[in-house]
């Protein structure tokens, strides 16, 4: 007999003939998950191609995409075998209260960090940034010149007040399906235009052959530094904290597995195309936030227009992804601080008391932190690898509800070993590199 399914994040209602109107759609689930995956991570994928080379990068994207889909399946299977309807609830069933607290805290770190990364990139696009002594103008400076009102602080302040605030006040994730669809289409537009620009440059002979494999000679990268690029790709495929909210707004929560599979395939394709074509277009000058490469002047007005469209379209994409992450962050923080309270959507005072401080903190973080690459490395080698792989694998191996098969335990064991080993190497290499840099 299958376990009863509860619908979190929604007010309890009596069943009625019109209750299906309260369920989310399958298409909305695909768009919400796809939008959650294709976030800021895509901006650092071309830099990962530069570090790893084309073939290793494509291989890692395929492997991580498959593992991400498998681990999401682990989470949902465990949920349906037990009685929990949240990621934290599944961890609580397997590891007690400490497990629930661990996944809640890590999820908040991932989502809050990702929201800051989104804001940093949006700030780079609209107000520019300075990298290695080179000033990269934002769209507002290029269009109107440099003024006090289009500095990074005031540009982001406008975005937070007039765009982010109305979106984060949505209380059901399904209501964000339309904005998610627009956001995903904007991401596709970014990929198409980048690909066209790369193909044109290739035909005109303005590109250099990309490296198929990383340089490991004395003048190139060390072997262990390659592990610092892999976490960037892991971060780009971390969506697991939104699986449960999306699943339990569907009529049949199991449908989220098909939605996840479709989303992962779409996003792996987008990542591969973006990494390959942007690396082909910019070569060794590819920056950690590839949008800053598109501020380069071109010899034609059409080229300049396309560059502006690329930057603006993806900035809008990130603006529309932002509320999805905020939704997960707010829900997890509420579960951590008020585990015995009523649903968050029913308590206006608690809802606003969580929403506004989170938004203000994210704004201040985006102003204080200048670069996304180190943030990606930190998140990818610690928090995101735990959310995407370590916790789901541990749940399968713990097997509290007796749902795990032998094959699943083998896959989970391999997943756990690879995740922990890669994370340790990446963290150690980052610490060594940072220490060496400080000494010089």
């Amino acid at each position: 007999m299958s376990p009863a399914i509860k619908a979190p994040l929604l007010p309890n209602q009596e069943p009625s003939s019109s209750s299906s109107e309260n369920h989310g759609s399958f298409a909305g689930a695909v768009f919400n998950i796809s939008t959650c995956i294709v976030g800021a991570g895509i901006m650092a994928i071309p830099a990962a191609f530069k570090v790893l080379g084309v073939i290793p990068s494509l291989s890692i994207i395929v492997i991580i995409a498959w593992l991400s889909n498998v681990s999401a399946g682990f989470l949902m299977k465990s949920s349906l075998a037990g009685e929990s309807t949240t990621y934290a609830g599944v961890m609580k069933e397997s590891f007690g209260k400490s497990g629930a607290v661990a996944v809640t805290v890590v999820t908040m770190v991932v989502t809050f960090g990702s929201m800051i990364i989104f804001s940093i990139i949006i700030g780079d696009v609209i107000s520019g940034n300075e990298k290695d002594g080179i000033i990269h103008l934002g769209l507002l400076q290029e269009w109107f010149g440099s003024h006090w009102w289009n500095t990074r602080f005031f540009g982001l302040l406008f975005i937070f007040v007039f765009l982010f605030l109305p979106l984060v006040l949505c209380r059901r994730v399904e209501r964000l399906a339309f904005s998610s669809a627009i956001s995903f289409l904007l991401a596709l537009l970014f990929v198409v235009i980048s690909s066209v620009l790369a193909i044109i440059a290739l035909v005109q002979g303005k590109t250099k052959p990309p490296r198929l494999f990383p340089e490991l000679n004395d003048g190139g990268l060390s072997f262990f530094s390659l592990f610092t690029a892999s976490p960037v790709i892991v971060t780009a495929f971390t969506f697991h904290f939104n699986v449960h909210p999306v699943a339990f707004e569907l009529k049949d929560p199991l449908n989220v597995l098909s939605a996840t599979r479709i989303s992962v395939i779409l996003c792996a394709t987008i990542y591969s195309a973006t990494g390959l074509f942007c690396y082909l277009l910019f070569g060794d000058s590819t920056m950690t936030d590839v949008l800053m490469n598109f501020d380069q002047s071109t010899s034609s007005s059409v080229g300049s227009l396309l560059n502006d469209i690329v930057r603006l379209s993806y900035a809008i994409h990130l603006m529309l992804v932002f509320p999805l992450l905020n939704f997960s962050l707010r829900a997890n923080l509420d579960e951590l601080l008020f585990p015995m309270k009523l649903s968050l959507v029913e308590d206006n005072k608690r809802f606003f008391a969580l929403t506004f401080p989170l938004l203000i903190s994210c704004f201040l973080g985006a102003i204080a932190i200048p670069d996304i690459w180190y943030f990606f490395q930190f998140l990818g080698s610690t928090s995101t690898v735990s959310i995407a792989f370590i916790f789901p694998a541990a749940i399968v191996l713990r097997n509290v509800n007796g749902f795990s098969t032998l094959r699943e335990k083998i896959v989970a064991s391999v997943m756990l070993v690879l995740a922990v080993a890669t994370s340790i190497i990446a963290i150690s290499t980052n610490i060594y590199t940072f220490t060496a840099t400080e000494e010089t």
Side-chain angles (χ1 to χ4, degrees):
M1 184 175 179
S2 60
I5 303 300
K6 301 176 184 177
L9 310 178
L10 295 174
N12 293 326
Q13 297 179 352
E14 295 298 324
S16 66
S17 59
S18 62
S19 62
S20 60
E21 296 178 359
N22 294 321
H23 293 301
S25 65
F26 181 81
V30 172
F31 280 123
N32 278 331
I33 294 175
S34 299
T35 303
C36 185
I37 298 174
V38 184
I42 194 173
M43 294 298 99
I45 293 292
F49 270 67
K50 182 179 73 171
V51 174
L52 297 171
V54 173
I55 293 179
S57 296
L58 292 175
S59 301
I60 291 175
I61 287 175
V62 171
I63 293 171
I64 292 177
W66 176 73
L67 289 175
S68 295
N69 181 62
V70 170
S71 60
F74 287 165
L75 290 176
M76 282 309 302
K77 188 172 181 180
S78 178
S79 293
L80 298 179
E83 297 183 353
S84 63
T85 56
T86 63
Y87 197 156
V90 175
M91 284 291 288
K92 186 175 182 179
E93 287 182 349
S94 298
F95 299 99
K97 186 177 180 180
S98 60
V101 171
V103 75
T104 300
V105 171
V106 172
T107 299
M108 289 192 297
V109 170
V110 171
T111 50
F112 186 66
S114 298
M115 288 163 62
I116 290 178
I117 291 172
F118 284 19
S119 304
I120 292 172
I121 294 176
I122 293 169
D124 289 344
V125 171
I126 63 176
S127 300
N129 200 349
E130 184 175 345
K131 180 75 173 179
D132 298 328
I134 301 175
I135 297 176
H136 298 268
L137 295 178
L139 291 176
L140 294 180
Q141 283 94 348
E142 291 180 2
W143 295 343
F144 305 107
S146 297
H147 303 281
W148 65 267
W149 54 267
N150 59 19
T151 58
R152 189 181 192 87
F153 179 88
F154 287 101
L156 281 177
L157 181 63
F158 181 88
I159 296 296
F160 269 75
V161 173
F162 294 101
L163 181 62
F164 286 169
L165 181 58
L167 289 174
V168 300
L169 292 178
C170 290
R171 304 196 183 196
R172 293 187 73 243
V173 71
E174 173 61 21
R175 292 182 180 176
L176 299 173
F178 180 70
S179 63
S180 294
I182 296 175
S183 175
F184 191 71
L185 292 176
L186 288 172
L188 289 178
L189 178 64
F190 165 78
V191 175
V192 170
I193 295 179
S194 301
S195 302
V196 170
L197 291 174
I199 293 172
I200 292 175
L202 182 64
V203 172
Q204 294 177 345
K206 296 181 180 179
T207 63
K208 295 181 180 179
R211 286 195 302 271
L212 298 181
F213 295 94
E215 293 181 352
L216 296 176
N217 52 42
D218 294 336
L221 298 166
S222 69
F223 172 75
F224 291 107
S225 65
L226 301 179
F227 287 88
T228 63
S230 300
V232 174
I233 301 177
V234 173
T235 303
F237 276 102
T238 303
F239 59 94
H240 301 69
F241 42 77
N242 268 339
V243 169
H244 287 86
V246 172
F248 288 100
E249 286 189 0
L250 296 174
K251 186 174 183 180
D252 182 2
L254 277 176
N255 287 338
V256 80
L257 298 180
S258 299
T260 297
R261 190 176 303 111
I262 293 172
S263 299
V264 167
I265 293 173
L266 285 174
C267 295
T269 304
I270 290 174
Y271 283 159
S272 299
T274 301
L276 179 61
F277 285 115
C278 286
Y279 177 43
L280 185 65
L281 185 61
F282 300 115
D284 289 336
S285 64
T286 302
M287 304 187 70
T288 55
D289 177 3
V290 75
L291 283 183
M292 288 197 291
N293 284 106
F294 285 96
D295 75 336
Q296 299 172 357
S297 60
T298 59
S299 57
S300 66
S301 58
V302 174
S304 298
L305 177 62
L306 288 177
N307 282 347
D308 288 351
I309 291 175
V310 166
R311 298 161 69 191
L312 184 60
S313 65
Y314 210 82
I316 296 174
H317 163 75
L318 294 181
M319 293 175 193
L320 297 178
V321 179
F322 186 95
L324 276 175
L325 295 182
N326 178 82
F327 188 92
S328 176
L329 174 61
R330 184 174 55 207
N332 279 280
L333 183 59
D334 180 65
E335 187 172 2
L336 180 65
L337 298 179
F338 310 104
M340 306 304 294
K341 295 285 187 177
L342 295 174
S343 173
L344 184 60
V345 298
E346 298 178 345
D347 191 330
N348 288 333
K349 184 177 181 181
R350 203 165 86 249
F351 180 84
F352 290 114
L354 292 175
T355 299
F356 286 106
L358 289 176
L359 202 61
I360 294 172
S361 299
C362 184
F363 170 75
L364 296 177
I367 296 298
I369 301 172
D371 198 341
I372 65 172
W373 182 254
Y374 297 107
F375 221 123
F376 271 126
Q377 288 183 349
F378 169 75
L379 288 179
S381 58
T382 54
S383 304
T384 57
V385 74
S386 299
I387 290 288
F389 303 128
I390 293 178
F391 291 161
I395 290 170
V396 171
L397 295 175
R398 184 79 167 179
N399 198 23
V400 171
N401 295 315
F403 70 92
S404 304
T405 64
L406 177 60
R407 178 179 177 275
E408 289 171 340
K409 289 182 178 180
I410 294 174
V411 172
S413 299
V414 174
M415 183 187 297
L416 186 62
V417 171
L418 288 176
V420 172
T422 303
S423 180
I424 292 174
I425 294 174
I427 293 172
S428 302
T429 304
N430 281 329
I431 293 174
Y432 174 78
T433 303
F434 178 79
T435 303
T437 304
E438 288 294 314
E439 291 178 352
T440 57

